[in-house]
Amino acid sequence: MPLSPFDGGGTFTVLNPSNGQAIGSVALADLAATDAAIERAHAAFPAWRAIAPGERARLLRSFAAAVDAHIDELAALEVIGSGHTIGNARWEAGNVRDVLNYYSAAPERHFGRQIPVAGGVDITFHEPLGVVGIIVPWNFPMPIAGWGFGPALAAGNTVVLKPAELTPLTALRLGELARDAGIPEGVFTVIPGKGSVVGERFVTHPLVRKVCFTGSTDVGKGIMRGCADQVKKLTLELGGKNANVVFEDADLEKAAASAPGAGLDNAGQDCCARSRILVQASVYDRFLELLQPAVEAFRVTDPSSPDAEMGPLISAKQRDSVLAGIADADVAYRGQTVEDTGGFWMPPTVVMPRSAADPVWSQELFGPVLAVMPFTDEADAIAKANDTEYGLSGSIFTRDLGRALRVARGVESGNLSVNSHSSVRYWTPFGGFKQSGLGRELGPDAPDSFSEVKNVFISTDD
Ligand code: NAD
């Protein structure tokens, strides 16, 4: 188990969500240790920003190679520490490698512009910000960390990263791999600790110039208020209650077969989970008939098993909160579960909301729950999809290309997919509308959001 180089803030016992057993304890940083780490990151900044672009690129590629050489180890840590299925965990570690490789091309390509002006030359530079603080939630510990530190480091910033209390292990290991790969001391520091201590200090410490927060909408709002004090730059990736819209002309078999994966992957603890399924009324009954065997076949088992499609939830608290959220719901059917292990299991559950005001329809449960509701026509589908404070992702199933595009343009979400459920590719932008977030991560422009544009005019007058 990777060790925390920090202390002073007590310890946190990490549990294996599959059986509830302790797998080790992680020492947490206190305020003084956090401040010292931020100051070290600040001290490391001038040399990191000044490093030749090709050399920074080489170091990021060597970090990516170190991650690649440890995919199995990182994945195994995520299986025991977070309950992720082994297939997902391998993908997640590979995603960190890919993000690092993708952004390793940025130092040599983060171009400014030359803008025509009279009397001289006008050029722009992308200046790094300084220390960037990244705050990560427990649901995807590795990818969400990488989406922040990959482009932030590439743009010439130094990074302090706080993993979620529940899931610090893979982040600590990534910190060790960065050091082994030659990333200089202080450039990338993983600081395990409490949100109220380490996370808040990223917001209040004047040397932290940007906060990248992924987590719940409520905590995100508090961070936004805190950042206002210093007009600190901020990216927010928050909650979601995403719609999967199935039209009568769709390939219904394909839509029904893919709906469980889209809503139940990572036990539904996914901000992009398609937890609201909207089905055109004329095919509603047929869709529910097709969905039932697909949900029942969704393989819920020991996450280290290669055929596992869903493991446990992250904690007893999270499972109990999801169960409380569906306590009064009309349940259509349930899928598989695992009993008597002491772990935090629950079955995939399909519920029928009584109205759009039903909490199972309107609130993000962050668990393996699919709510299904009919709609009448295109306008009704768009209105129902948009009837939420969130706007992160969504899917549209139809064979009509014009309709697919009209609905995609009408749904207020940052990431939509047609006849599929993909939302996250590291080379395309990711982020939310409305209360799902602020700013975008990933894609070709991410290094811009970790830099300031500086405009310089050079007079050519005698
Ligand atoms: P959370 O908001 O409780 O915690 C997220 C992180 O913030 C943790 O590291 C936590 O320690 C830290 N934190 C808590 N209080 C803080 C404070 N006052 N100041 C600074 N940091 C603080 O969220 P969670 O329960 O870990 O994650 C689940 C939530 O994250 C869900 O709502 C989910 O939708 C959201 N999420 C969003 C995305 C996205 O990309 N939009 C991705 C994953 C998760």
Side-chain angles (χ1 to χ4, degrees):
M1 201 176 99
L3 287 175
S4 165
F6 292 92
D7 58 19
T11 58
F12 187 87
T13 303
V14 180
L15 302 182
N16 180 341
S18 295
N19 57 22
Q21 303 283 314
I23 53 177
S25 93
V26 169
L28 306 180
D30 63 3
L31 205 55
T34 307
D35 280 357
I38 292 170
E39 277 150 32
R40 281 197 299 278
H42 177 67
F45 173 57
W48 182 246
R49 78 177 298 185
I51 207 164
E55 178 61 5
R56 199 187 303 142
R58 191 192 63 73
L59 284 165
L60 291 174
R61 284 195 285 272
S62 119
F63 185 5
V67 173
D68 190 48
H70 293 84
I71 296 275
D72 288 344
E73 182 199 334
L74 287 163
L77 266 183
E78 210 66 287
V79 172
I80 60 160
S82 310
H84 288 202
T85 64
I86 183 67
N88 278 9
R90 283 213 182 92
W91 181 89
E92 291 158 20
N95 182 258
V96 176
R97 171 204 56 211
D98 295 343
V99 166
L100 281 166
N101 274 327
Y102 179 69
Y103 290 109
S104 75
E108 292 151 308
R109 292 172 177 79
H110 203 193
F111 308 125
R113 290 167 152 187
Q114 179 264 312
I115 300 171
V117 287
V121 175
D122 193 280
I123 48 176
T124 65
F125 296 90
H126 290 287
E127 303 288 13
L129 305 171
V131 181
V132 170
I134 299 172
I135 303 174
V136 181
W138 47 257
N139 62 332
F140 288 108
M142 283 191 278
I144 292 173
W147 303 349
F149 69 67
L153 293 172
N157 304 280
T158 56
V159 168
V160 286
L161 182 142
K162 193 199 90 61
E165 289 89 324
L166 294 171
T167 55
L169 301 183
T170 45
L172 282 167
R173 189 69 187 111
L174 287 170
E176 293 173 354
L177 292 172
R179 189 199 55 210
D180 297 348
I183 300 289
E185 181 67 31
V187 169
F188 174 52
T189 311
V190 176
I191 314 177
K194 290 186 179 155
S196 56
V197 178
V198 180
E200 279 213 30
R201 195 60 184 135
F202 290 0
V203 175
T204 58
H205 200 301
L207 290 178
V208 176
R209 295 290 160 78
K210 172 165 183 170
V211 172
C212 250
F213 172 80
T214 305
S216 58
T217 297
D218 278 352
V219 173
K221 286 177 183 173
I223 287 178
M224 192 172 177
R225 281 191 287 270
C227 284
D229 276 347
Q230 295 166 27
V231 196
K232 191 172 288 197
K233 297 197 179 332
L234 175 66
T235 303
L236 295 175
E237 297 288 0
L238 308 174
K241 188 76 180 174
N242 312 291
N244 175 8
V245 185
V246 182
F247 285 93
E248 61 189 2
D249 69 339
D251 179 339
L252 275 194
E253 280 73 18
K254 181 179 170 188
S258 64
L264 307 173
D265 187 59
N266 205 31
Q269 303 163 120
D270 180 344
C271 48
C272 290
R274 275 57 166 183
S275 50
R276 295 187 300 150
I277 307 181
L278 280 164
V279 186
Q280 196 151 19
S282 51
V283 294
Y284 181 74
D285 291 340
R286 176 74 188 130
F287 181 86
L288 280 174
E289 272 168 31
L290 291 167
L291 181 64
Q292 182 164 6
V295 168
E296 288 170 353
F298 203 71
R299 189 102 177 89
V300 180
T301 187
D302 174 359
S304 64
S305 165
D307 63 347
E309 291 179 290
M310 184 179 127
L313 280 78
I314 187 68
S315 64
K317 187 175 161 212
Q318 182 64 17
R319 181 202 47 201
D320 295 348
S321 134
V322 178
L323 289 174
I326 57 171
D328 299 325
D330 291 336
V331 173
Y333 34 81
R334 293 190 173 85
Q336 306 170 17
T337 191
V338 170
E339 311 269 355
D340 301 331
T341 62
F344 316 128
W345 300 86
M346 69 169 277
T349 307
V350 176
V351 298
M352 318 297 284
R354 293 172 200 117
S355 74
D358 195 328
V360 293
W361 185 253
S362 58
Q363 288 173 16
E364 184 189 44
L365 294 170
F366 225 52
V369 179
L370 303 174
V372 194
M373 188 185 272
F375 68 87
T376 52
D377 57 13
E378 216 174 288
D380 189 37
I382 293 173
K384 286 195 162 108
N386 288 340
D387 184 19
T388 165
E389 67 203 25
Y390 297 115
L392 189 56
S393 73
S395 303
I396 300 149
F397 279 76
T398 174
R399 289 189 169 99
D400 179 334
L401 181 58
R403 165 179 282 166
L405 283 171
R406 283 192 302 275
V407 177
R409 297 299 299 271
V411 174
E412 297 161 342
S413 276
N415 307 270
L416 290 161
S417 48
V418 175
N419 296 328
S420 62
H421 295 292
S422 72
S423 350
V424 185
R425 290 185 179 85
Y426 56 82
W427 63 101
T428 60
F430 176 73
F433 280 32
K434 302 195 285 189
Q435 294 194 32
S436 283
L438 194 68
R440 291 292 177 272
E441 296 193 289
L442 299 176
D445 302 326
D448 291 357
S449 68
F450 290 102
S451 52
E452 290 276 20
V453 172
K454 181 181 284 171
N455 191 67
V456 177
F457 170 74
I458 305 157
S459 169
T460 49
D461 287 348
D462 283 339

